[in-house]
Amino acid sequence: MRRTVTAFAALLVLASCSAQPSPVEPPSAAVPGWRELPGSPLSPRAMALGLWTGREALLIGGADQPCPPGADCAGDPSPLLAAAAVDPDSGRWRVLAEPPVALRWMQGAVVGGIAYVQGGTVGGEQALLAYDIAADRWERAALPASGVTLVAGGDLLFAVRGSEETTPGPDYRYAPSTRSWSELPADPLGAGFDRSMAWTGKHLVLFDHELVPNPGADGPPVTRAAVFDPRGGTWRRLPDSQQLATGPWLVEGGKLIAPALGGADGGSVGNWGRTYANGGVLDPATGTWSALPNAPGGWHASAFGTTSAVYADRPGPVLNAVTGQWGVIPPLPQDDVSDSTVVAAGNRLLVFGGASWPKEGKAELSSRAWLWTPQG
């Protein structure tokens, strides 16, 4: 059985006049630890989409009747729920223009002042929306294919297929200036699954696992990688890793870091002879892979750098990628909730909403927002 070795929240989106910001006093300093961002204009909900613009966190959509834990309910989107933005520095909120359609299972990316949001409609179709942040205006946009994940790359938007098991085909790039998609050249990795992309600041790095017969695999699904140069339109394959995670990735100091803990050895049947770590570090310039520094035990971990971060969907171990030291994100100072929105607000962690489930009755929803600032 193939294992997908990440359990992170995907961190990423898209007229009427905005409401005036709520009159919240700005914090006196960026004090490490948790603090609440009061004054949210949003109704209680779970599974909203959160995207970081470089200044604000956009909180879009969500479910006001989420599925109970363990339930298998695809469901339609909730009716249109108000969207809002919050500036974590000032603590000020503003209500966004209403999106043209309600979406569920959303993901997105911000490129050039536009937040692109992809999700499923009431009819089950995939749709792409574009939100102009400065103009507070939504538009529909063309989607090149279904089953793709949006990735921001400089002034371009990329769309990568998550797997080529059932829907093989090209990946794409979108030029906002012409509002058009074009196919990327075929990558040198061949067919793969658990595919993801990361932007280094100059290049796009593709990660995947080789697509092999299942059952029938005779070794561990190690992570493969290739680097794409958008200017030259060329690929460069990197050596295969000895790790299992294909993301998500934090870019810091020219290196890509996947802070996934633990590992696997293949089990009692088809054992691989040793344990392969889930996470690791890649230097895309040299193609050199290395282990996470002094990784603690456990499975779910986060990492932050100077100006960016990747955060797991729960508190726990966190790597300071600048110093190489591990710390711990403490639990939220509120009752435990699930299906909260997790946003990397620069290198800080913003958590919004979520649901708790009493033994009997409907979900108890939250509209509280919290910000965690790392030490140092």
Side-chain angles (χ1 to χ4, degrees):
M1 179 179 69
R2 295 187 175 123
R3 294 185 176 94
T4 300
V5 198
T6 55
F8 294 81
L11 306 170
L12 295 166
V13 152
L14 292 172
S16 63
C17 296
S18 297
Q20 293 298 315
S22 54
V24 177
E25 291 296 325
S28 58
V31 179
W34 288 107
R35 66 179 176 88
E36 189 167 7
L37 299 176
S40 167
L42 298 179
S43 60
R45 67 191 67 184
M47 298 184 293
L49 174 65
L51 295 175
W52 179 242
T53 70
R55 178 182 175 184
E56 297 176 307
L58 306 181
L59 300 168
I60 301 166
D64 55 10
Q65 297 183 28
C67 295
D72 183 13
C73 49
D76 285 331
S78 294
L80 275 175
L81 300 176
V86 59
D87 180 340
D89 291 325
S90 68
R92 292 182 179 274
W93 293 81
R94 64 183 180 95
V95 177
L96 307 185
E98 184 178 282
V101 63
L103 299 176
R104 198 171 190 186
W105 312 120
M106 294 178 291
Q107 48 99 7
V110 177
V111 175
I114 305 295
Y116 297 91
V117 181
Q118 179 188 357
T121 66
V122 171
E125 298 178 351
Q126 290 290 304
L128 179 64
L129 305 178
Y131 174 69
D132 187 316
I133 299 167
D136 189 30
R137 183 178 63 247
W138 292 87
E139 294 180 354
R140 292 180 181 267
L143 189 65
S146 60
V148 295
T149 299
L150 304 180
V151 179
D155 59 355
L156 294 173
L157 177 69
F158 295 90
V160 57
R161 292 181 184 272
S163 175
E164 296 175 310
E165 293 173 277
T166 58
T167 56
D171 301 313
Y172 302 88
R173 61 179 163 187
Y174 180 79
S177 59
T178 61
R179 300 186 179 185
S180 61
W181 291 95
S182 60
E183 295 183 4
L184 291 184
D187 68 78
L189 299 180
F193 68 101
D194 281 354
R195 303 174 81 244
S196 69
M197 286 182 175
W199 178 250
T200 69
K202 293 183 178 180
H203 301 98
L204 193 70
V205 185
L206 170 67
F207 301 93
D208 78 352
H209 295 144
E210 182 181 6
L211 187 58
V212 296
N214 183 33
D218 58 1
V222 295
T223 299
R224 308 184 300 174
V227 177
F228 179 69
D229 179 357
R231 293 185 178 182
T234 58
W235 286 94
R236 172 172 57 94
R237 179 162 182 171
L238 302 182
D240 292 350
S241 75
Q242 294 296 294
Q243 73 172 56
L244 303 178
T246 61
W249 299 90
L250 169 68
V251 181
E252 181 64 32
K255 296 183 178 180
L256 292 166
I257 302 167
L261 301 178
D265 62 7
S268 58
V269 178
N271 191 274
W272 302 328
R274 68 177 179 88
T275 297
Y276 287 76
N278 288 331
V281 181
L282 169 65
D283 183 338
T286 63
T288 302
W289 298 84
S290 56
L292 291 171
N294 304 312
W299 294 97
H300 308 284
S302 304
F304 67 87
T306 307
T307 59
S308 60
V310 291
Y311 285 112
D313 60 357
R314 67 198 71 188
V318 60
L319 173 66
N320 183 332
V322 179
T323 65
Q325 301 299 310
W326 288 87
V328 175
I329 301 174
L332 274 169
Q334 70 172 28
D335 292 338
D336 187 39
V337 294
S338 60
D339 293 325
S340 297
T341 300
V342 174
V343 185
N347 69 353
R348 296 166 294 179
L349 167 61
L350 190 147
V351 178
F352 168 76
S356 60
W357 296 88
K359 291 184 179 180
E360 296 180 1
K362 295 183 179 180
E364 297 176 355
L365 300 175
S366 170
S367 62
R368 301 177 74 178
W370 297 88
L371 185 74
W372 180 79
T373 301
Q375 177 78 47

